[in-house]
Amino acid sequence: MSSTCAQLCLRRIGVLCSKTSTRLHYVQSQHRIIRTASSALVNRGSFTNGSLTATQTRQRFKQQMCYLNDDSTAKYLTTEAKEHKYEGLAKTDSSEYSPALLPTTNTLPVPENEICLDLDCEVSFSALEEISDEEAVSILVPSIPPDSFTLRDYVDKSETLTKLVQLGVSLWKLEQRPYVGTMLLKMDFSRDVEPRLMFLKQIGVEDSCLSHIITHNPFILNMDLEDLQTRVNYLRSKKFDAETVAAMVSKAPYLLNFSVMRLDNRLGFYQRQLKLSPTKTRNIVSRLPRLLCGSLEPVKENLKVCRLELGFREDEIKDIVIAVPKVLTANKKKLTQIFDYVHNTMKVPHLLIIKFPQVFNTKFLRIKERHLFLEYLGKAQYDPTQPSYIALDRLVSLPDETFCTDLALATLEDFNLFQKTL
C-alpha cells in the first residue's frame, strides 16, 4: 500500500515538472517567433528596400503578431488538452510518459549577426512641418523651365540669349529650327559667342550685319576659329580684297561654313563652265556669293534651259550671266515665262534681250501690265529703228510714276485705273 502511494506521488511530481518545462518552452518559442517576425518585416520594410514606410511596417508587424498569437494560443490549448490526457494515465508506467508537443512555426532561421532594429527610428517629414532658414536655403529650386516651345522663357535666365536679343538677333526665327534653341542655351557667351563676333568684326563685317548673319546662320557660333580664318585666307589668296570678303560674308552667311576644297571646286566650276577669266569669275561671285554655297544642280539646269529652250548660244549665255548672275539661280519656270512673253508677245528679238538682260531680273506681272498699258495707248514700240522707241531696261526698271510721265505720257491715276481692268 505504501509503495503504491509512493509511485502515485512520483508520477504526480513528474507531470507537474513536465507541465512547467512545457510552458517554459512555449515562452521561449514565443520570443523566438517575435524576433524572427520582426527581422523579416524589417528586411521587407523601408529600411532595406525603401518600398514601405515606417507606419506601413508597424501595421504589418501588428497583423503578423495577431496571427502568431492566435496560432500559438490554439497550439497551447492543444498542449493543455494533451497534458490532462497524460494526467489520466495513472495506471501506465512512468517510463512510457512523453512530454507534450511543443508549438511549431514556419518562420525562417534568424542569422547570428541579426540586429533588432527599432521600427520607429525612421524620421518621416511632413509637408506642413516648419524648417529652419539654413534648410530652406539648401533646397534647390530650378530657375530655368525644364522644357518649353519658345526661347522667350529662357531669355531672362540665359546671358547668351539676352546678349543676342540686344544685338538684334531674331530668336523667333531660330526657335523654329530644330536643335538650335538647345545649342544656344548650352553656349557660354564669353567662351563661345563673343570670340566669333570679334572675328567677324576683324574681317570687316559691319555691326549692323552681325544680327543678320547669326539669325540666318547660328551654326557659325559653333565653328572653329582656325577653320574660319583658313577660309578667309583662301578667299584673300584668290585676290578677293578685304572689303569684298566682308560683303560676301554679309550677303551669304553660310559662306564660311564650307571647307576650302568646296569653295575651290565652286570657283573652278563657274570658270570652266562659262569660260570666264579669273577676274570675271571673281566679279560674278562677289556680286552673288550664294553661288558658292548652294547646290550646282539648279545652275546646270538653268544653263541647259537657256541653251536648249530659250535658244541662246554659249557666248550669249556668258554675256547674260555677267550682266545678271541671278539667271543661274532663278526659277526655271520664271525664265521660260518671261522669255516667252517678251520674245513671242512683245516681238523682241534675241539680240535685244541679250543687250538688256535685266528683263530676266524683274517680275512677270510688272512686264505684262506695263506692256498692255503702252499697247492700249499705242506706244508699245520696242524696235530701236522706229520712232518713240522704248528700251527694255527702262520699261522694267523705272518706278511707276516715272514710267507714266516719261514713257506712257499719262498720269499715275490713269495707270492705276487701267490695272483694275486687267
Side-chain angles (χ1 to χ4, degrees):
M1 184 68 180
S2 61
S3 62
T4 302
C5 291
Q7 289 180 358
L8 289 175
C9 291
L10 290 174
R11 289 184 179 182
R12 185 63 180 175
I13 293 171
V15 171
L16 293 174
C17 293
S18 64
K19 184 183 295 186
T20 303
S21 63
T22 300
R23 290 182 178 177
L24 181 60
H25 281 292
Y26 166 74
V27 173
Q28 294 176 351
S29 301
Q30 189 81 345
H31 285 292
R32 188 182 299 108
I33 291 169
I34 291 173
R35 288 196 302 270
T36 304
S38 176
S39 301
L41 289 175
V42 169
N43 289 335
R44 290 183 297 172
S46 62
F47 300 102
T48 304
N49 297 328
S51 60
L52 297 176
T53 63
T55 304
Q56 293 173 338
T57 305
R58 286 196 296 270
Q59 291 176 355
R60 290 195 176 185
F61 175 75
K62 290 179 180 179
Q63 294 174 0
Q64 184 71 16
M65 289 306 304
C66 292
Y67 171 79
L68 291 174
N69 289 335
D70 294 340
D71 185 65
S72 301
T73 303
K75 292 182 179 180
Y76 177 73
L77 293 175
T78 304
T79 306
E80 286 288 331
K82 290 187 177 181
E83 289 176 357
H84 289 294
K85 180 179 179 180
Y86 288 130
E87 290 178 2
L89 298 176
K91 296 182 180 180
T92 58
D93 187 65
S94 60
S95 61
E96 297 177 357
Y97 170 77
S98 61
L101 294 175
L102 297 177
T104 60
T105 60
N106 296 327
T107 58
L108 298 174
V110 181
E112 295 180 358
N113 58 352
E114 186 70 37
I115 301 176
C116 184
L117 300 176
D118 185 5
L119 297 178
D120 295 329
C121 64
E122 183 181 6
V123 180
S124 58
F125 297 97
S126 173
L128 302 178
E129 182 180 357
E130 294 185 1
I131 61 175
S132 63
D133 295 339
E134 291 76 8
E135 293 175 340
V137 172
S138 63
I139 298 176
L140 298 178
V141 179
S143 59
I144 298 179
D147 52 10
S148 177
F149 294 100
T150 176
L151 290 175
R152 179 180 56 189
D153 299 334
Y154 303 94
V155 172
D156 294 337
K157 307 298 181 181
S158 173
E159 180 188 6
T160 301
L161 296 182
T162 303
K163 295 293 181 63
L164 291 180
V165 170
Q166 295 174 355
L167 192 64
V169 177
S170 300
L171 294 183
W172 66 272
K173 292 183 179 180
L174 296 180
E175 67 187 14
Q176 297 175 1
R177 307 176 66 175
Y179 310 113
V180 173
T182 304
M183 178 191 72
L184 294 177
L185 286 175
K186 293 180 179 179
M187 286 184 176
D188 181 81
F189 184 81
S190 300
R191 184 188 68 243
D192 302 321
V193 181
E194 187 175 3
R196 275 74 182 178
L197 296 178
M198 295 302 298
F199 171 81
L200 292 176
K201 292 192 63 175
Q202 290 174 1
I203 65 174
V205 176
E206 297 181 0
D207 295 345
S208 59
C209 297
L210 293 177
S211 60
H212 171 78
I213 294 174
I214 297 176
T215 299
H216 290 81
N217 179 26
F219 304 103
I220 196 173
L221 301 177
N222 267 342
M223 302 298 297
D224 187 74
L225 289 175
E226 294 183 0
D227 294 339
L228 296 176
Q229 187 63 53
T230 301
R231 292 155 193 174
V232 172
N233 293 339
Y234 168 77
L235 294 175
R236 295 298 303 275
S237 68
K238 294 300 179 180
K239 298 183 180 180
F240 289 96
D241 55 49
E243 294 181 359
T244 302
V245 172
M248 291 171 63
V249 173
S250 301
K251 294 178 181 178
Y254 277 95
L255 180 62
L256 297 182
N257 285 36
F258 300 105
S259 64
V260 171
M261 182 178 296
R262 180 188 175 101
L263 296 177
D264 188 70
N265 290 337
R266 291 293 189 273
L267 289 174
F269 169 80
Y270 294 116
Q271 187 172 356
R272 293 189 305 268
Q273 192 73 20
L274 300 173
K275 299 179 180 179
L276 300 173
S277 64
T279 303
K280 292 184 178 180
T281 303
R282 286 193 298 270
N283 179 268
I284 293 175
V285 171
S286 62
R287 291 160 57 196
L288 192 65
R290 64 181 180 181
L291 291 174
L292 301 178
C293 304
S295 174
L296 293 178
E297 294 303 321
V299 176
K300 295 178 181 178
E301 186 68 21
N302 283 357
L303 291 176
K304 186 183 297 183
V305 167
C306 291
R307 186 175 64 254
L308 299 179
E309 297 185 23
L310 307 187
F312 293 108
R313 299 190 303 269
E314 291 187 359
D315 57 335
E316 294 174 342
I317 296 174
K318 174 182 174 181
D319 295 336
I320 293 174
V321 170
I322 292 175
V324 185
K326 285 186 179 181
V327 172
L328 295 175
T329 58
N331 184 273
K332 180 176 68 173
K333 181 179 179 180
K334 177 184 176 181
L335 289 178
T336 55
Q337 187 180 35
I338 290 176
F339 176 82
D340 179 69
Y341 192 82
V342 172
H343 181 67
N344 297 323
T345 302
M346 297 172 60
K347 306 301 181 181
V348 179
H350 282 76
L351 183 61
L352 292 179
I353 296 177
I354 297 171
K355 187 176 180 180
F356 305 107
Q358 292 82 6
V359 70
F360 290 112
N361 197 27
T362 189
K363 295 181 180 180
F364 170 74
L365 185 60
R366 185 187 186 95
I367 299 173
K368 182 179 179 180
E369 289 176 347
R370 293 189 175 188
H371 167 70
L372 292 177
F373 185 61
L374 291 175
E375 188 177 40
Y376 173 77
L377 297 175
K379 300 180 182 300
Q381 181 57 256
Y382 308 109
D383 186 357
T385 61
Q386 299 296 326
S388 303
Y389 161 70
I390 297 177
L392 286 180
D393 59 338
R394 300 192 67 193
L395 175 70
V396 299
S397 61
L398 293 177
D400 288 344
E401 187 175 359
T402 306
F403 163 75
C404 292
T405 57
D406 294 354
L407 300 183
L409 302 179
T411 62
L412 182 61
E413 290 77 9
D414 294 337
F415 182 57
N416 292 334
L417 290 175
F418 177 79
Q419 288 178 318
K420 295 179 180 179
T421 62
L422 297 179

